[in-house]
Amino acid sequence: MKRSARRKRRVGQARLGRRGTAAIEFALVSVPLLILLIGTAELGMVFADQYALSLGVERAARFAIVHSLNSAAPASTAEITAVFQQAANPLIGSSASGAQVTVSFDPSDTPGSVVTVSAQYPFTPITGIVPIPPLTLSAQASYVIQN
């Protein structure tokens, strides 16, 4: 019986020596996992903002070719920029006004000419936990004015 009591005591001592092991393992694993999760979210935001820029310049360029000088309601550069902001705003948010939009016509705003709308947007990370260098996202769309 003494052997049985000794064995139980050793098992009990072994369990006491392992106390808190799960908490330490959780602490060691959770920090890198959390950084990976936040990094994935930040990368998703980069892709979402890039998509918003592409959508905005696409819609602005299409608006520009429909509203050329020969149309019933020719559009100004300010109106084309407003169309970009209206298209990009739901995805980027109010910071879409921080994008630099450039509208150019080659050679002019007449049929046969090419309209190019380009935009640049400085991406700022949501959190400072993941070290992402400053990014400038850009998008461009070109169309030929038909009418």
Side-chain angles (χ1 to χ4, degrees):
M1 285 208 200
K2 290 186 179 185
R3 273 192 226 177
S4 173
R6 286 183 198 163
R7 188 177 297 161
K8 285 182 183 178
R9 191 180 315 156
R10 274 191 249 149
V11 170
Q13 288 174 349
R15 285 184 186 159
L16 287 176
R18 297 173 106 187
R19 230 180 206 171
T21 305
I24 292 171
E25 289 174 355
F26 176 75
L28 291 174
V29 171
S30 65
V31 172
L33 188 62
L34 185 64
I35 290 173
L36 183 67
L37 183 65
I38 291 172
T40 303
E42 292 284 358
L43 189 62
M45 291 301 297
V46 169
F47 285 121
D49 287 356
Q50 181 63 46
Y51 173 74
L53 279 179
S54 297
L55 181 69
V57 295
E58 184 85 16
R59 288 195 180 165
R62 290 179 66 118
F63 181 80
I65 63 169
V66 170
H67 297 281
S68 64
L69 281 178
N70 292 348
S71 71
S76 66
T77 303
E79 290 172 322
I80 296 170
T81 302
V83 169
F84 165 81
Q85 289 176 349
Q86 183 180 11
N89 232 8
L91 298 171
I92 295 179
S94 61
S95 59
S97 58
Q100 296 175 346
V101 181
T102 307
V103 180
S104 62
F105 298 94
D106 187 27
S108 64
D109 190 7
T110 57
S113 299
V114 176
V115 60
T116 301
V117 179
S118 59
Q120 290 186 337
Y121 173 73
F123 175 77
T124 52
I126 297 173
T127 64
I129 295 174
V130 180
I132 296 177
L135 296 174
T136 301
L137 305 177
S138 61
Q140 179 176 332
S142 298
Y143 286 108
V144 176
I145 299 173
Q146 300 294 324
N147 299 344

mmCIF file of all heavy atoms in Angstrom, residues 6-22:
data_model
loop_
_atom_site.group_PDB
_atom_site.id
_atom_site.type_symbol
_atom_site.label_atom_id
_atom_site.label_comp_id
_atom_site.label_asym_id
_atom_site.label_seq_id
_atom_site.Cartn_x
_atom_site.Cartn_y
_atom_site.Cartn_z
ATOM 1 N N ARG A 6 2.782 6.294 -2.619
ATOM 2 C CA ARG A 6 3.903 7.037 -3.217
ATOM 3 C C ARG A 6 3.608 7.389 -4.671
ATOM 4 O O ARG A 6 3.911 8.493 -5.132
ATOM 5 C CB ARG A 6 5.179 6.205 -3.138
ATOM 6 C CG ARG A 6 5.764 6.138 -1.783
ATOM 7 C CD ARG A 6 7.051 5.355 -1.833
ATOM 8 N NE ARG A 6 7.396 4.917 -0.514
ATOM 9 C CZ ARG A 6 8.253 3.974 -0.237
ATOM 10 N NH1 ARG A 6 8.868 3.343 -1.214
ATOM 11 N NH2 ARG A 6 8.523 3.646 0.998
ATOM 12 N N ARG A 7 3.046 6.438 -5.392
ATOM 13 C CA ARG A 7 2.739 6.677 -6.800
ATOM 14 C C ARG A 7 1.714 7.794 -6.938
ATOM 15 O O ARG A 7 1.853 8.680 -7.790
ATOM 16 C CB ARG A 7 2.212 5.399 -7.424
ATOM 17 C CG ARG A 7 2.071 5.527 -8.926
ATOM 18 C CD ARG A 7 1.623 4.251 -9.570
ATOM 19 N NE ARG A 7 2.629 3.227 -9.361
ATOM 20 C CZ ARG A 7 2.414 1.920 -9.465
ATOM 21 N NH1 ARG A 7 1.210 1.493 -9.761
ATOM 22 N NH2 ARG A 7 3.368 1.053 -9.272
ATOM 23 N N LYS A 8 0.712 7.807 -6.109
ATOM 24 C CA LYS A 8 -0.297 8.866 -6.146
ATOM 25 C C LYS A 8 0.323 10.213 -5.817
ATOM 26 O O LYS A 8 -0.022 11.232 -6.397
ATOM 27 C CB LYS A 8 -1.437 8.552 -5.166
ATOM 28 C CG LYS A 8 -2.361 7.477 -5.646
ATOM 29 C CD LYS A 8 -3.486 7.259 -4.661
ATOM 30 C CE LYS A 8 -4.381 6.126 -5.109
ATOM 31 N NZ LYS A 8 -5.447 5.851 -4.160
ATOM 32 N N ARG A 9 1.247 10.215 -4.870
ATOM 33 C CA ARG A 9 1.903 11.458 -4.494
ATOM 34 C C ARG A 9 2.739 11.983 -5.666
ATOM 35 O O ARG A 9 2.739 13.175 -5.968
ATOM 36 C CB ARG A 9 2.790 11.246 -3.267
ATOM 37 C CG ARG A 9 3.269 12.569 -2.712
ATOM 38 C CD ARG A 9 4.161 12.454 -1.503
ATOM 39 N NE ARG A 9 3.653 11.500 -0.518
ATOM 40 C CZ ARG A 9 4.421 10.883 0.369
ATOM 41 N NH1 ARG A 9 5.719 11.085 0.383
ATOM 42 N NH2 ARG A 9 3.909 10.042 1.235
ATOM 43 N N ARG A 10 3.463 11.088 -6.368
ATOM 44 C CA ARG A 10 4.267 11.511 -7.521
ATOM 45 C C ARG A 10 3.377 12.063 -8.640
ATOM 46 O O ARG A 10 3.718 13.054 -9.270
ATOM 47 C CB ARG A 10 5.092 10.332 -8.039
ATOM 48 C CG ARG A 10 6.392 10.183 -7.309
ATOM 49 C CD ARG A 10 7.284 9.204 -8.005
ATOM 50 N NE ARG A 10 7.384 8.036 -7.136
ATOM 51 C CZ ARG A 10 7.549 6.804 -7.529
ATOM 52 N NH1 ARG A 10 7.630 6.531 -8.809
ATOM 53 N NH2 ARG A 10 7.630 5.825 -6.665
ATOM 54 N N VAL A 11 2.260 11.414 -8.897
ATOM 55 C CA VAL A 11 1.336 11.892 -9.929
ATOM 56 C C VAL A 11 0.798 13.257 -9.532
ATOM 57 O O VAL A 11 0.715 14.175 -10.355
ATOM 58 C CB VAL A 11 0.193 10.876 -10.156
ATOM 59 C CG1 VAL A 11 -0.889 11.473 -11.045
ATOM 60 C CG2 VAL A 11 0.736 9.597 -10.755
ATOM 61 N N GLY A 12 0.457 13.439 -8.301
ATOM 62 C CA GLY A 12 -0.038 14.731 -7.819
ATOM 63 C C GLY A 12 1.023 15.808 -7.928
ATOM 64 O O GLY A 12 0.745 16.946 -8.304
ATOM 65 N N GLN A 13 2.277 15.470 -7.630
ATOM 66 C CA GLN A 13 3.367 16.447 -7.744
ATOM 67 C C GLN A 13 3.626 16.801 -9.206
ATOM 68 O O GLN A 13 3.935 17.941 -9.530
ATOM 69 C CB GLN A 13 4.636 15.900 -7.080
ATOM 70 C CG GLN A 13 4.565 15.865 -5.580
ATOM 71 C CD GLN A 13 5.789 15.163 -4.965
ATOM 72 O OE1 GLN A 13 6.579 14.541 -5.665
ATOM 73 N NE2 GLN A 13 5.893 15.262 -3.649
ATOM 74 N N ALA A 14 3.504 15.818 -10.081
ATOM 75 C CA ALA A 14 3.693 16.087 -11.508
ATOM 76 C C ALA A 14 2.620 17.049 -12.014
ATOM 77 O O ALA A 14 2.895 17.936 -12.811
ATOM 78 C CB ALA A 14 3.665 14.785 -12.297
ATOM 79 N N ARG A 15 1.411 16.870 -11.556
ATOM 80 C CA ARG A 15 0.336 17.776 -11.966
ATOM 81 C C ARG A 15 0.576 19.181 -11.434
ATOM 82 O O ARG A 15 0.299 20.160 -12.111
ATOM 83 C CB ARG A 15 -1.009 17.256 -11.459
ATOM 84 C CG ARG A 15 -1.509 16.088 -12.243
ATOM 85 C CD ARG A 15 -2.876 15.685 -11.769
ATOM 86 N NE ARG A 15 -3.283 14.466 -12.435
ATOM 87 C CZ ARG A 15 -4.193 13.649 -11.985
ATOM 88 N NH1 ARG A 15 -4.821 13.933 -10.847
ATOM 89 N NH2 ARG A 15 -4.522 12.571 -12.646
ATOM 90 N N LEU A 16 1.071 19.302 -10.226
ATOM 91 C CA LEU A 16 1.365 20.623 -9.671
ATOM 92 C C LEU A 16 2.453 21.322 -10.478
ATOM 93 O O LEU A 16 2.415 22.530 -10.674
ATOM 94 C CB LEU A 16 1.805 20.505 -8.202
ATOM 95 C CG LEU A 16 0.715 20.184 -7.191
ATOM 96 C CD1 LEU A 16 1.331 20.005 -5.802
ATOM 97 C CD2 LEU A 16 -0.324 21.278 -7.176
ATOM 98 N N GLY A 17 3.415 20.569 -10.990
ATOM 99 C CA GLY A 17 4.492 21.150 -11.787
ATOM 100 C C GLY A 17 4.021 21.626 -13.154
ATOM 101 O O GLY A 17 4.672 22.439 -13.780
ATOM 102 N N ARG A 18 2.873 21.146 -13.625
ATOM 103 C CA ARG A 18 2.361 21.514 -14.941
ATOM 104 C C ARG A 18 1.291 22.601 -14.857
ATOM 105 O O ARG A 18 0.739 23.003 -15.868
ATOM 106 C CB ARG A 18 1.770 20.289 -15.619
ATOM 107 C CG ARG A 18 2.806 19.228 -15.872
ATOM 108 C CD ARG A 18 2.169 17.998 -16.380
ATOM 109 N NE ARG A 18 2.456 17.878 -17.804
ATOM 110 C CZ ARG A 18 1.921 16.965 -18.581
ATOM 111 N NH1 ARG A 18 1.040 16.124 -18.089
ATOM 112 N NH2 ARG A 18 2.247 16.878 -19.835
ATOM 113 N N ARG A 19 1.018 23.066 -13.684
ATOM 114 C CA ARG A 19 -0.007 24.079 -13.511
ATOM 115 C C ARG A 19 0.395 25.363 -14.242
ATOM 116 O O ARG A 19 1.523 25.822 -14.140
ATOM 117 C CB ARG A 19 -0.156 24.399 -12.033
ATOM 118 C CG ARG A 19 -1.559 24.356 -11.600
ATOM 119 C CD ARG A 19 -1.688 24.674 -10.157
ATOM 120 N NE ARG A 19 -2.904 24.038 -9.711
ATOM 121 C CZ ARG A 19 -3.261 23.956 -8.483
ATOM 122 N NH1 ARG A 19 -2.487 24.427 -7.546
ATOM 123 N NH2 ARG A 19 -4.382 23.390 -8.162
ATOM 124 N N GLY A 20 -0.520 25.956 -14.992
ATOM 125 C CA GLY A 20 -0.245 27.211 -15.689
ATOM 126 C C GLY A 20 0.385 27.028 -17.049
ATOM 127 O O GLY A 20 0.636 27.998 -17.766
ATOM 128 N N THR A 21 0.665 25.799 -17.435
ATOM 129 C CA THR A 21 1.300 25.537 -18.726
ATOM 130 C C THR A 21 0.391 25.974 -19.871
ATOM 131 O O THR A 21 0.854 26.568 -20.841
ATOM 132 C CB THR A 21 1.641 24.041 -18.864
ATOM 133 O OG1 THR A 21 2.429 23.653 -17.755
ATOM 134 C CG2 THR A 21 2.399 23.771 -20.134
ATOM 135 N N ALA A 22 -0.877 25.706 -19.776
ATOM 136 C CA ALA A 22 -1.814 26.076 -20.832
ATOM 137 C C ALA A 22 -1.888 27.597 -20.986
ATOM 138 O O ALA A 22 -1.962 28.109 -22.110
ATOM 139 C CB ALA A 22 -3.202 25.511 -20.535
#
